[in-house]
Coordinates of all heavy atoms in Angstrom, one line a residue:
M1 N 0.9 -1.2 0.0 CA 0.1 0.0 0.0 C 0.9 1.3 0.0 O 1.8 1.3 0.7 CB -0.9 0.0 1.3 CG -1.9 1.0 1.3 SD -3.0 0.8 2.7 CE -2.5 2.0 3.8
L2 N 0.5 2.2 -0.9 CA 1.3 3.4 -1.0 C 0.4 4.6 -0.5 O -0.8 4.7 -0.6 CB 1.7 3.8 -2.4 CG 2.7 2.9 -3.0 CD1 2.9 3.3 -4.5 CD2 4.0 2.8 -2.3
I3 N 1.0 5.5 0.4 CA 0.4 6.7 0.7 C 1.3 7.9 0.3 O 2.5 7.8 0.4 CB 0.3 6.8 2.3 CG1 -0.5 5.7 2.8 CG2 -0.2 8.1 2.7 CD1 -0.6 5.6 4.4
T4 N 0.6 8.8 -0.5 CA 1.3 10.0 -1.0 C 1.4 11.1 0.1 O 0.4 11.7 0.2 CB 0.6 10.4 -2.3 OG1 0.7 9.3 -3.2 CG2 1.5 11.5 -2.9
C5 N 2.5 11.3 0.6 CA 2.7 12.4 1.5 C 2.8 13.6 0.6 O 3.5 13.7 -0.3 CB 4.0 12.2 2.3 SG 4.5 13.5 3.4
P6 N 2.1 14.7 1.2 CA 2.2 15.9 0.5 C 3.6 16.5 0.3 O 3.9 17.3 -0.6 CB 1.2 16.9 1.3 CG 0.4 16.0 1.9 CD 1.2 14.7 2.2
Y7 N 4.5 16.2 1.3 CA 5.9 16.8 1.2 C 6.8 15.8 0.5 O 7.6 16.3 -0.3 CB 6.4 16.8 2.7 CG 5.9 18.0 3.5 CD1 5.5 17.9 4.7 CD2 5.8 19.4 2.9 CE1 5.0 18.9 5.5 CE2 5.4 20.4 3.6 CZ 5.0 20.2 4.9 OH 4.5 21.2 5.7
C8 N 6.7 14.4 0.8 CA 7.7 13.4 0.2 C 7.2 12.7 -1.0 O 8.1 12.0 -1.4 CB 7.9 12.6 1.5 SG 8.3 13.4 3.1
G9 N 6.0 12.7 -1.3 CA 5.5 12.0 -2.4 C 5.2 10.6 -2.1 O 5.0 10.2 -0.8
P10 N 5.0 9.6 -3.0 CA 4.5 8.3 -2.7 C 5.5 7.4 -1.9 O 6.6 7.5 -2.3 CB 4.2 7.7 -4.0 CG 4.4 8.7 -5.0 CD 5.1 9.8 -4.4
R11 N 5.0 6.9 -0.7 CA 5.9 6.1 0.0 C 5.2 4.9 0.5 O 4.0 4.9 0.7 CB 6.4 7.0 1.3 CG 7.2 8.0 1.0 CD 8.6 7.7 0.5 NE 9.5 8.8 0.4 CZ 9.7 9.6 -0.6 NH1 8.9 9.5 -1.7 NH2 10.7 10.5 -0.5
N12 N 5.9 3.8 0.8 CA 5.3 2.6 1.3 C 4.8 2.8 2.7 O 5.2 3.6 3.5 CB 6.3 1.4 1.5 CG 5.8 0.1 1.6 OD1 5.3 -0.2 2.7 ND2 5.8 -0.8 0.6
V13 N 3.7 2.0 3.0 CA 3.0 2.2 4.2 C 3.8 1.9 5.4 O 3.6 2.3 6.6 CB 1.6 1.3 4.2 CG1 2.1 -0.1 4.3 CG2 0.8 1.8 5.3
S14 N 4.9 1.1 5.2 CA 5.9 0.8 6.3 C 6.6 2.1 6.9 O 7.1 2.0 8.1 CB 6.9 -0.3 5.9 OG 7.7 0.4 4.8
E15 N 6.5 3.2 6.2 CA 7.2 4.4 6.6 C 6.2 5.2 7.5 O 6.5 6.2 8.1 CB 7.5 5.3 5.4 CG 8.7 4.8 4.7 CD 9.2 5.9 3.6 OE1 8.9 7.0 3.8 OE2 10.1 5.5 2.8
Y16 N 4.9 4.7 7.6 CA 3.9 5.4 8.3 C 3.3 4.7 9.6 O 3.6 3.4 9.7 CB 2.6 5.6 7.4 CG 2.9 6.5 6.2 CD1 3.4 5.9 5.0 CD2 2.6 7.8 6.2 CE1 3.7 6.7 3.8 CE2 2.7 8.6 5.1 CZ 3.3 8.1 4.0 OH 3.5 8.8 2.9
T17 N 2.8 5.6 10.5 CA 2.3 4.9 11.6 C 0.9 5.4 11.8 O 0.5 6.5 11.7 CB 3.0 5.4 12.9 OG1 4.4 5.2 12.9 CG2 2.4 4.9 14.3
Y18 N -0.1 4.3 11.9 CA -1.5 4.6 12.1 C -1.8 5.3 13.4 O -1.4 4.9 14.5 CB -2.2 3.3 12.0 CG -3.8 3.5 12.0 CD1 -4.4 4.0 11.0 CD2 -4.4 3.0 13.2 CE1 -5.9 4.1 11.1 CE2 -5.8 3.2 13.4 CZ -6.5 3.7 12.2 OH -8.0 3.8 12.2
Q19 N -2.6 6.4 13.3 CA -2.8 7.1 14.6 C -4.3 7.1 15.0 O -4.5 7.7 15.8 CB -2.4 8.6 14.3 CG -0.9 8.8 14.1 CD -0.1 8.6 15.3 OE1 -0.4 9.2 16.4 NE2 1.0 7.9 15.2
G20 N -5.1 6.4 14.2 CA -6.4 6.3 14.6 C -7.4 6.8 13.5 O -7.1 7.2 12.4
D21 N -8.8 6.8 14.0 CA -9.9 7.2 13.3 C -9.9 8.8 12.9 O -9.6 9.5 14.0 CB -11.2 6.8 14.1 CG -12.4 7.0 13.4 OD1 -12.5 7.8 12.4 OD2 -13.4 6.4 13.8
G22 N -10.0 9.0 11.9 CA -10.0 10.5 11.5 C -11.3 11.2 11.6 O -11.4 12.4 11.3
N23 N -12.3 10.5 12.0 CA -13.7 11.1 12.2 C -14.0 11.5 13.5 O -15.1 12.2 13.7 CB -14.7 10.0 11.7 CG -14.6 9.6 10.3 OD1 -14.6 10.5 9.4 ND2 -14.5 8.3 10.0
R24 N -13.2 11.2 14.5 CA -13.5 11.6 15.9 C -13.5 13.1 16.1 O -12.6 13.8 15.6 CB -12.7 10.9 16.8 CG -12.7 9.4 16.8 CD -12.0 8.7 17.8 NE -10.7 9.2 18.0 CZ -10.0 9.1 19.2 NH1 -10.5 8.5 20.2 NH2 -8.8 9.6 19.3
T25 N -14.4 13.5 17.0 CA -14.5 15.0 17.4 C -14.4 15.0 18.9 O -15.2 14.5 19.5 CB -15.7 15.6 16.8 OG1 -15.8 15.5 15.4 CG2 -15.8 17.1 17.2
R26 N -13.3 15.6 19.4 CA -13.1 15.6 20.7 C -14.1 16.6 21.5 O -14.2 17.8 21.0 CB -11.7 16.1 21.1 CG -11.4 16.1 22.6 CD -10.0 16.7 22.8 NE -9.6 16.7 24.2 CZ -8.7 16.0 24.7 NH1 -7.8 15.2 23.9 NH2 -8.4 16.0 26.0
P27 N -14.7 16.1 22.5 CA -15.7 17.1 23.3 C -15.0 18.3 23.9 O -13.7 18.1 24.0 CB -16.3 16.2 24.3 CG -16.1 14.8 23.9 CD -14.8 14.8 23.1
D28 N -15.7 19.2 24.3 CA -15.1 20.3 24.9 C -14.5 19.8 26.2 O -15.1 19.1 27.1 CB -16.2 21.2 25.3 CG -15.7 22.5 26.0 OD1 -14.6 22.6 26.5 OD2 -16.5 23.5 26.2
P29 N -13.2 20.2 26.5 CA -12.3 19.6 27.6 C -13.2 19.9 28.9 O -12.9 19.2 29.9 CB -11.0 20.3 27.6 CG -10.9 20.7 26.1 CD -12.3 21.0 25.5
A30 N -13.9 20.9 29.0 CA -14.6 21.3 30.2 C -16.0 20.6 30.4 O -16.6 20.6 31.4 CB -14.9 22.8 30.3
S31 N -16.3 19.8 29.3 CA -17.5 19.1 29.3 C -17.5 18.0 30.3 O -16.5 17.3 30.4 CB -17.9 18.6 27.9 OG -19.0 17.7 28.0
T32 N -18.7 17.8 30.9 CA -18.9 16.6 31.8 C -19.9 15.6 31.3 O -20.4 14.7 31.9 CB -19.3 17.0 33.2 OG1 -20.6 17.7 33.1 CG2 -18.2 17.9 33.9
D33 N -20.1 15.7 29.9 CA -21.0 14.9 29.3 C -20.5 13.5 29.1 O -19.6 13.3 28.2 CB -21.5 15.5 27.9 CG -22.5 14.7 27.2 OD1 -22.8 13.5 27.7 OD2 -22.9 15.2 26.1
Q34 N -20.8 12.6 30.1 CA -20.2 11.1 30.0 C -20.4 10.4 28.7 O -19.6 9.7 28.2 CB -20.6 10.4 31.1 CG -19.9 10.7 32.4 CD -20.0 9.6 33.5 OE1 -21.0 9.1 33.6 NE2 -18.9 9.4 34.2
A35 N -21.6 10.6 28.1 CA -21.9 10.0 26.8 C -21.1 10.4 25.7 O -20.6 9.6 25.0 CB -23.4 10.1 26.6
A36 N -20.9 11.8 25.7 CA -20.0 12.3 24.6 C -18.5 11.8 24.8 O -17.9 11.4 23.9 CB -20.0 13.7 24.7
W37 N -18.0 11.8 26.1 CA -16.7 11.3 26.4 C -16.6 9.7 26.0 O -15.6 9.3 25.5 CB -16.2 11.6 27.7 CG -15.8 13.0 27.8 CD1 -16.4 14.1 28.3 CD2 -14.6 13.6 27.4 NE1 -15.8 15.3 28.2 CE2 -14.6 14.9 27.7 CE3 -13.4 13.1 26.6 CZ2 -13.6 15.8 27.2 CZ3 -12.4 13.9 26.2 CH2 -12.5 15.3 26.5
N38 N -17.5 8.9 26.5 CA -17.5 7.6 26.2 C -17.4 7.3 24.6 O -16.7 6.5 24.2 CB -18.9 6.9 26.8 CG -18.6 6.5 28.1 OD1 -17.5 6.5 28.7 ND2 -19.7 6.2 28.9
E39 N -18.2 8.1 23.9 CA -18.2 7.9 22.4 C -16.7 8.3 21.9 O -16.3 7.5 20.9 CB -19.4 8.7 21.8 CG -19.3 8.7 20.3 CD -20.4 9.5 19.6 OE1 -21.3 9.8 20.4 OE2 -20.2 9.7 18.4
Y40 N -16.3 9.4 22.3 CA -14.9 9.8 21.8 C -13.9 8.8 22.1 O -13.0 8.5 21.3 CB -14.6 11.2 22.5 CG -13.2 11.7 22.1 CD1 -12.9 12.2 20.9 CD2 -12.2 11.6 23.0 CE1 -11.8 12.5 20.5 CE2 -11.0 12.0 22.7 CZ -10.8 12.5 21.4 OH -9.4 13.0 21.2
V41 N -13.9 8.3 23.4 CA -12.8 7.3 23.8 C -12.9 6.0 23.3 O -11.9 5.3 22.9 CB -12.7 7.2 25.4 CG1 -11.7 6.4 25.8 CG2 -12.3 8.7 25.9
Y42 N -14.2 5.4 23.2 CA -14.4 4.0 23.0 C -15.0 3.5 21.7 O -14.7 2.6 21.1 CB -15.3 3.3 24.2 CG -14.5 3.4 25.5 CD1 -15.0 4.3 26.4 CD2 -13.4 2.7 25.8 CE1 -14.4 4.4 27.7 CE2 -12.8 2.8 26.9 CZ -13.3 3.6 28.0 OH -12.7 3.7 29.2
D43 N -15.9 4.5 21.2 CA -16.7 4.0 19.9 C -15.8 4.3 18.6 O -15.2 5.3 18.5 CB -17.9 4.8 19.8 CG -19.0 4.5 20.8 OD1 -18.7 3.4 21.5 OD2 -20.0 5.1 20.8
R44 N -15.7 3.2 17.9 CA -15.0 3.3 16.7 C -15.9 2.8 15.4 O -16.6 1.8 15.7 CB -13.7 2.5 16.7 CG -12.7 2.9 17.7 CD -12.1 4.3 17.4 NE -11.0 4.5 18.4 CZ -11.3 5.3 19.5 NH1 -12.5 5.7 19.6 NH2 -10.3 5.6 20.3
L45 N -15.6 3.5 14.3 CA -16.3 3.0 13.2 C -15.5 1.9 12.6 O -14.3 1.7 12.8 CB -16.4 4.1 12.1 CG -17.1 5.4 12.5 CD1 -17.0 6.4 11.4 CD2 -18.7 5.0 12.7
N46 N -16.3 1.0 11.9 CA -15.6 -0.1 11.3 C -16.3 -0.3 9.9 O -17.0 -1.5 9.7 CB -15.7 -1.4 12.1 CG -14.9 -2.6 11.6 OD1 -14.0 -2.3 10.9 ND2 -15.1 -3.8 12.0
P47 N -16.1 0.6 9.0 CA -16.9 0.6 7.8 C -16.2 -0.4 6.7 O -15.1 -0.7 6.9 CB -16.8 2.0 7.2 CG -15.4 2.5 7.8 CD -15.2 1.8 9.1
A48 N -17.0 -0.9 5.9 CA -16.6 -1.6 4.8 C -16.7 -0.7 3.7 O -17.7 -0.6 3.0 CB -17.6 -2.9 4.6
G49 N -15.7 0.0 3.3 CA -15.5 1.1 2.3 C -14.6 2.1 2.7 O -13.8 1.9 3.5
D50 N -14.8 3.3 2.1 CA -14.1 4.5 2.4 C -14.1 4.9 4.0 O -15.1 4.9 4.7 CB -14.5 5.7 1.7 CG -14.1 5.5 0.3 OD1 -13.3 4.7 -0.1 OD2 -14.6 6.4 -0.7
H51 N -12.9 5.1 4.6 CA -12.7 5.4 5.9 C -11.7 6.6 6.0 O -10.6 6.5 5.4 CB -12.2 4.3 6.7 CG -12.3 4.4 8.2 ND1 -11.2 4.1 8.9 CD2 -13.2 4.8 9.0 CE1 -11.4 4.4 10.1 NE2 -12.6 4.8 10.2
H52 N -12.0 7.6 6.8 CA -10.9 8.6 7.1 C -10.1 8.3 8.3 O -10.5 7.9 9.3 CB -11.6 10.0 7.3 CG -12.5 10.4 6.3 ND1 -12.1 10.8 5.1 CD2 -13.9 10.4 6.2 CE1 -13.1 11.0 4.3 NE2 -14.2 10.8 4.9
E53 N -8.8 8.3 8.1 CA -7.9 7.9 9.1 C -6.6 8.9 9.2 O -6.4 9.6 8.4 CB -7.2 6.5 8.7 CG -8.3 5.4 8.5 CD -7.7 4.2 7.8 OE1 -6.7 4.2 7.1 OE2 -8.3 3.2 8.1
I54 N -6.1 8.9 10.4 CA -4.9 9.7 10.6 C -3.7 8.9 10.6 O -3.6 7.8 11.4 CB -5.0 10.5 12.0 CG1 -6.3 11.3 12.1 CG2 -3.8 11.3 12.3 CD1 -6.4 12.5 11.0
W55 N -2.8 9.2 9.8 CA -1.5 8.4 9.8 C -0.3 9.5 9.9 O -0.4 10.7 9.5 CB -1.3 7.8 8.3 CG -2.2 6.6 8.1 CD1 -3.5 6.7 7.8 CD2 -1.9 5.3 8.1 NE1 -4.0 5.5 7.6 CE2 -3.1 4.6 7.7 CE3 -0.6 4.5 8.4 CZ2 -3.0 3.1 7.8 CZ3 -0.7 3.2 8.3 CH2 -1.9 2.5 8.0
Q56 N 0.8 9.1 10.6 CA 1.8 9.9 10.7 C 3.0 9.5 9.8 O 3.3 8.2 9.9 CB 2.4 10.1 12.1 CG 3.5 11.0 12.2 CD 4.2 11.0 13.6 OE1 4.0 10.1 14.5 NE2 4.9 12.1 13.9
H57 N 3.7 10.2 9.0 CA 4.8 9.9 8.2 C 6.0 9.9 9.2 O 6.9 10.5 9.0 CB 5.0 10.8 7.0 CG 5.9 10.2 6.0 ND1 6.4 11.0 5.0 CD2 6.4 9.0 5.9 CE1 7.1 10.2 4.2 NE2 7.2 9.0 4.7
S58 N 6.0 8.8 10.0 CA 7.0 8.7 11.1 C 8.3 8.3 10.5 O 9.4 8.6 11.2 CB 6.5 7.6 12.2 OG 6.2 6.4 11.5
G59 N 8.4 7.7 9.5 CA 9.6 7.3 8.8 C 10.2 8.4 7.7 O 11.1 8.2 7.0
G60 N 9.6 9.5 7.8 CA 9.9 10.6 6.8 C 9.8 11.9 7.4 O 10.6 12.1 8.4
C61 N 8.9 12.8 7.0 CA 8.8 14.1 7.5 C 8.1 14.3 8.8 O 8.1 15.4 9.4 CB 8.2 15.0 6.5 SG 6.5 14.4 6.1
R62 N 7.5 13.2 9.3 CA 6.8 13.2 10.5 C 5.5 13.9 10.5 O 4.8 14.2 11.6 CB 7.7 13.6 11.7 CG 9.0 12.8 11.8 CD 9.7 13.0 13.1 NE 9.0 12.5 14.3 CZ 8.7 11.3 14.7 NH1 9.3 10.3 13.8 NH2 8.1 10.9 15.7
A63 N 5.1 14.3 9.3 CA 3.7 15.1 9.2 C 2.5 14.1 9.5 O 2.6 13.0 9.3 CB 3.5 15.7 7.8
H64 N 1.5 14.7 10.2 CA 0.3 13.9 10.4 C -0.7 14.2 9.3 O -0.9 15.3 8.9 CB -0.3 14.4 11.7 CG 0.4 13.9 12.9 ND1 1.5 14.6 13.4 CD2 0.2 12.8 13.7 CE1 1.9 13.9 14.6 NE2 1.1 12.9 14.7
L65 N -1.2 13.1 8.7 CA -2.1 13.2 7.5 C -3.4 12.7 7.8 O -3.5 11.7 8.5 CB -1.3 12.4 6.4 CG 0.2 12.7 6.1 CD1 0.7 11.8 5.1 CD2 0.3 14.3 5.6
R66 N -4.3 13.3 7.0 CA -5.7 12.6 7.1 C -5.7 11.9 5.6 O -5.7 12.5 4.6 CB -6.7 13.7 7.1 CG -8.1 13.3 7.3 CD -9.1 14.4 7.5 NE -10.4 14.0 8.0 CZ -11.4 13.8 7.2 NH1 -11.3 14.1 6.0 NH2 -12.6 13.5 7.7
V67 N -5.9 10.6 5.8 CA -6.0 9.7 4.7 C -7.4 9.0 4.4 O -8.0 8.6 5.5 CB -4.9 8.5 4.8 CG1 -5.1 7.5 3.8 CG2 -3.6 9.2 4.9
T68 N -7.9 9.1 3.2 CA -9.1 8.3 2.9 C -8.8 7.1 2.3 O -8.1 7.1 1.2 CB -10.1 9.2 2.1 OG1 -10.3 10.4 2.6 CG2 -11.4 8.5 1.8
R69 N -9.1 6.0 3.0 CA -8.6 4.6 2.5 C -9.9 3.8 2.5 O -10.7 3.8 3.3 CB -7.6 4.0 3.5 CG -7.2 2.6 3.2 CD -6.1 2.1 4.2 NE -6.8 1.9 5.5 CZ -7.3 0.7 5.9 NH1 -7.4 -0.2 5.1 NH2 -7.8 0.7 7.1
N70 N -9.9 3.0 1.3 CA -11.0 2.1 1.2 C -10.6 0.7 2.1 O -9.5 0.2 1.8 CB -11.3 1.6 -0.2 CG -12.4 0.8 -0.3 OD1 -12.5 -0.4 0.1 ND2 -13.4 1.2 -1.1
T71 N -11.3 0.4 3.1 CA -11.0 -0.7 4.0 C -11.1 -2.0 3.2 O -10.6 -3.1 3.8 CB -11.8 -0.7 5.2 OG1 -13.3 -0.8 4.9 CG2 -11.6 0.5 6.1
L72 N -11.7 -2.2 2.1 CA -11.9 -3.4 1.4 C -10.7 -3.7 0.4 O -10.2 -4.7 0.2 CB -13.2 -3.5 0.6 CG -14.5 -3.4 1.5 CD1 -15.7 -3.4 0.6 CD2 -14.5 -4.7 2.4
T73 N -10.3 -2.5 -0.3 CA -9.3 -2.6 -1.3 C -7.9 -2.1 -0.9 O -7.0 -2.2 -1.5 CB -9.7 -1.9 -2.5 OG1 -10.0 -0.5 -2.3 CG2 -11.1 -2.5 -3.1
H74 N -7.9 -1.2 0.1 CA -6.7 -0.6 0.6 C -6.2 0.6 -0.4 O -5.2 0.9 -0.2 CB -5.7 -1.5 1.0 CG -6.0 -2.4 2.1 ND1 -6.2 -2.1 3.4 CD2 -6.1 -3.7 2.1 CE1 -6.6 -3.1 4.2 NE2 -6.6 -4.2 3.3
V75 N -7.2 0.8 -1.2 CA -6.8 2.0 -2.2 C -7.0 3.2 -1.4 O -8.0 3.6 -0.7 CB -7.7 2.0 -3.4 CG1 -7.5 3.2 -4.2 CG2 -7.5 0.7 -4.2
V76 N -6.0 4.1 -1.5 CA -6.0 5.5 -0.9 C -6.4 6.5 -1.8 O -5.8 6.6 -3.0 CB -4.6 5.8 -0.4 CG1 -4.6 7.3 0.2 CG2 -4.2 5.0 0.8
T77 N -7.5 7.3 -1.6 CA -8.1 8.1 -2.6 C -7.8 9.6 -2.3 O -8.0 10.4 -3.2 CB -9.6 7.8 -2.7 OG1 -10.3 8.0 -1.4 CG2 -10.0 6.5 -3.3
E78 N -7.5 9.9 -1.0 CA -7.3 11.3 -0.7 C -6.2 11.4 0.5 O -6.4 10.5 1.4 CB -8.6 12.0 -0.3 CG -8.6 13.4 0.0 CD -9.8 14.1 0.3 OE1 -10.8 13.4 0.2 OE2 -9.8 15.2 0.8
V79 N -5.4 12.4 0.4 CA -4.4 12.6 1.5 C -4.3 14.1 1.7 O -4.2 14.8 0.7 CB -3.0 12.0 1.2 CG1 -2.1 12.2 2.3 CG2 -3.0 10.5 0.9
S80 N -4.4 14.6 3.0 CA -4.2 16.0 3.3 C -3.6 16.1 4.6 O -3.6 15.1 5.4 CB -5.5 16.7 3.3 OG -6.5 16.2 4.2
F81 N -3.1 17.3 4.9 CA -2.6 17.4 6.3 C -3.7 17.3 7.3 O -4.8 17.9 7.1 CB -1.8 18.9 6.3 CG -0.7 18.9 5.5 CD1 -0.6 19.7 4.4 CD2 0.5 18.0 5.8 CE1 0.6 19.7 3.7 CE2 1.6 18.1 5.0 CZ 1.6 19.0 3.9
A82 N -3.5 16.7 8.4 CA -4.4 16.6 9.4 C -4.9 17.9 10.0 O -5.9 18.1 10.3 CB -3.9 15.6 10.6
R83 N -3.9 18.8 10.1 CA -4.2 20.1 10.6 C -5.3 20.8 9.9 O -6.0 21.7 10.4 CB -2.9 21.0 10.8 CG -2.3 21.2 9.4 CD -1.1 22.2 9.6 NE -0.6 22.5 8.3 CZ 0.5 22.0 7.9 NH1 1.4 21.3 8.6 NH2 1.0 22.3 6.6
D84 N -5.4 20.6 8.5 CA -6.3 21.2 7.7 C -7.8 20.6 7.8 O -8.7 21.1 7.4 CB -5.9 21.1 6.2 CG -4.7 21.8 6.0 OD1 -4.4 22.8 6.7 OD2 -4.0 21.5 5.0
A85 N -7.9 19.5 8.6 CA -9.2 18.8 8.7 C -9.9 19.3 9.9 O -11.1 19.1 10.0 CB -8.9 17.3 8.9
G86 N -9.4 20.2 10.7 CA -10.0 20.7 11.9 C -11.2 21.4 11.7 O -12.2 21.5 12.4
H87 N -11.3 22.1 10.5 CA -12.4 23.0 10.3 C -13.6 22.2 9.6 O -14.7 22.6 9.5 CB -12.1 24.1 9.2 CG -11.8 23.5 7.9 ND1 -10.5 23.1 7.6 CD2 -12.5 23.4 6.8 CE1 -10.5 22.7 6.4 NE2 -11.7 22.9 5.8
R88 N -13.5 20.9 9.3 CA -14.5 20.0 8.7 C -15.5 19.6 9.8 O -15.1 19.4 11.0 CB -13.8 18.8 7.9 CG -12.9 19.2 6.9 CD -12.4 17.9 6.3 NE -11.4 18.3 5.2 CZ -10.7 17.5 4.6 NH1 -10.7 16.2 5.0 NH2 -9.9 17.9 3.7
K89 N -16.6 19.4 9.4 CA -17.6 18.9 10.3 C -17.5 17.4 10.5 O -16.9 16.8 9.5 CB -19.2 19.2 9.8 CG -19.4 20.7 9.7 CD -20.8 20.9 9.1 CE -21.9 20.3 10.1 NZ -23.2 20.6 9.8
S90 N -17.8 16.9 11.6 CA -17.9 15.4 11.8 C -18.4 14.7 10.7 O -19.5 15.0 10.2 CB -18.5 15.2 13.0 OG -18.3 13.6 13.3
E91 N -17.8 13.7 10.2 CA -18.4 12.8 9.1 C -18.9 11.4 9.6 O -18.9 10.5 8.7 CB -17.4 12.7 7.9 CG -17.1 14.1 7.4 CD -15.9 14.1 6.3 OE1 -15.8 12.9 5.7 OE2 -15.4 15.1 6.0
R92 N -19.2 11.4 10.8 CA -19.5 10.2 11.4 C -20.9 9.8 10.9 O -21.9 10.6 11.0 CB -19.6 10.1 12.9 CG -18.3 10.4 13.5 CD -18.5 10.2 15.1 NE -18.6 8.8 15.3 CZ -17.6 8.1 16.0 NH1 -16.6 8.7 16.3 NH2 -17.8 6.8 16.2
H93 N -21.1 8.6 10.3 CA -22.3 8.0 9.9 C -22.5 6.6 10.5 O -21.6 5.8 10.0 CB -22.5 8.1 8.4 CG -22.3 9.6 7.9 ND1 -23.4 10.5 8.0 CD2 -21.4 10.2 7.3 CE1 -23.0 11.6 7.4 NE2 -21.9 11.4 7.0
R94 N -23.3 6.3 11.2 CA -23.5 5.0 11.6 C -24.7 4.4 10.9 O -25.8 5.0 10.8 CB -23.9 5.0 13.1 CG -22.8 5.3 13.9 CD -22.9 4.8 15.3 NE -21.7 5.1 16.2 CZ -20.6 4.4 16.2 NH1 -20.6 3.2 15.4 NH2 -19.6 4.6 16.9
K95 N -24.5 3.3 10.3 CA -25.5 2.5 9.6 C -25.6 1.1 10.2 O -24.6 0.5 10.5 CB -25.2 2.3 8.1 CG -25.2 3.6 7.4 CD -24.7 3.2 5.9 CE -24.6 4.7 5.1 NZ -24.0 4.2 3.8
P96 N -26.9 0.7 10.5 CA -27.0 -0.7 11.1 C -26.4 -1.7 10.1 O -26.5 -1.6 9.0 CB -28.6 -0.8 11.1 CG -29.1 0.4 11.1 CD -28.2 1.3 10.4
G97 N -25.5 -2.5 10.6 CA -25.0 -3.6 9.8 C -23.6 -3.1 9.1 O -23.1 -3.9 8.4
A98 N -23.3 -1.8 9.4 CA -22.0 -1.4 8.8 C -20.8 -2.0 9.4 O -19.7 -1.8 8.9 CB -22.0 0.1 8.8
H99 N -20.9 -2.5 10.5 CA -19.7 -3.1 11.2 C -19.3 -4.5 10.6 O -20.2 -5.2 10.4 CB -20.1 -3.3 12.8 CG -20.3 -2.0 13.3 ND1 -19.2 -1.3 13.9 CD2 -21.4 -1.3 13.5 CE1 -19.9 -0.2 14.5 NE2 -21.0 -0.3 14.3
A100 N -18.1 -4.6 10.2 CA -17.7 -5.8 9.5 C -17.2 -6.9 10.6 O -16.9 -6.6 11.7 CB -16.6 -5.6 8.7
Ligands
LIG1 ZN1 6.4 13.0 4.4

């Protein structure tokens, strides 16, 4: 699997470290809403198809990237800097039976 780093170009996945689900939205740190914190800490999507993920180019420039990867084919369709994803609205969509 190749991931194209915006700085370094196409590199093998062995140069990257998976950092987690790219769809999570951290609740306000002052919030005491336990349901929101439980969802943030424990709930993970497991889609069969396109999934937004955070990867770090740990064997290269060390940039954190937001990668759209198809979980069935491992084809990467989009890569951007994770810092640029902060303004995006949450893209969480739960569908019954979407868990593989
Ligand atoms: Zn890089």
